[in-house]
Amino acid sequence: QLQLVESGGGLVQPGGSLRLSCEASGFRFDKYTIGWFRQAPGKEREGVSCISSRGDVSNYADSVKGRFTISRDDDKNTVYLQMNSLKPEDTAVYYCAGDGLNPFSPTCSIWRRYGYWGQGTHVTVSS
């Protein structure tokens, strides 16, 4: 019953925007760091952004700083990833994940710390 469900992916032109959503159920969402990861064909899983359980600490990969914004709404058990100025290199499957052991100091780069994962949503940036 514990699950994370991503939505909002799709096809967008370079320079466009998308907002991804990650809705959680079955666990204490407000006690978890939530992270966004992505994986492109032939590449390793990459940490994109993560947010602390309280929403007061957010981190971003250098490749998306200034373009992506993570936020959370605990009343809706949902974390969002607003993606602006999208580039072709942003094309990937995007996953959200939960980390209950590090609720106050989120780490985006170490995916093995995240115990709950969604199935992913596809983002394609192309002309």
Side-chain angles (χ1 to χ4, degrees):
Q1 192 169 356
L2 282 65
Q3 65 178 18
L4 296 163
V5 180
E6 304 95 334
S7 62
L11 174 65
V12 64
Q13 293 184 327
S17 298
L18 286 173
R19 189 180 74 162
L20 305 183
S21 298
C22 172
E23 185 174 1
S25 62
F27 64 98
R28 187 69 182 273
F29 178 78
D30 61 352
K31 299 294 185 180
Y32 278 71
T33 280
I34 301 296
W36 283 99
F37 298 81
R38 66 186 181 187
Q39 188 163 19
K43 295 185 177 181
E44 295 292 322
R45 193 181 316 183
E46 175 189 17
V48 176
S49 182
C50 52
I51 187 168
S52 66
S53 61
R54 296 176 178 175
D56 57 345
V57 180
S58 300
N59 294 310
Y60 299 89
D62 289 340
S63 59
V64 306
K65 286 181 179 178
R67 300 188 297 120
F68 291 10
T69 302
I70 192 170
S71 62
R72 67 188 298 158
D73 185 343
D74 288 347
D75 290 336
K76 295 182 172 63
N77 286 347
T78 301
V79 168
Y80 304 96
L81 185 68
Q82 179 66 46
M83 306 186 297
N84 299 325
S85 302
L86 284 162
K87 304 175 181 179
E89 48 263 47
D90 294 319
T91 296
V93 179
Y94 284 71
Y95 302 89
C96 67
D99 173 13
L101 299 179
N102 302 279
F104 307 121
S105 55
T107 300
C108 306
S109 60
I110 308 177
W111 62 266
R112 293 174 181 83
R113 293 184 177 179
Y114 291 76
Y116 299 102
W117 291 83
Q119 292 300 117
T121 185
H122 293 258
V123 172
T124 302
V125 185
S126 176
S127 298

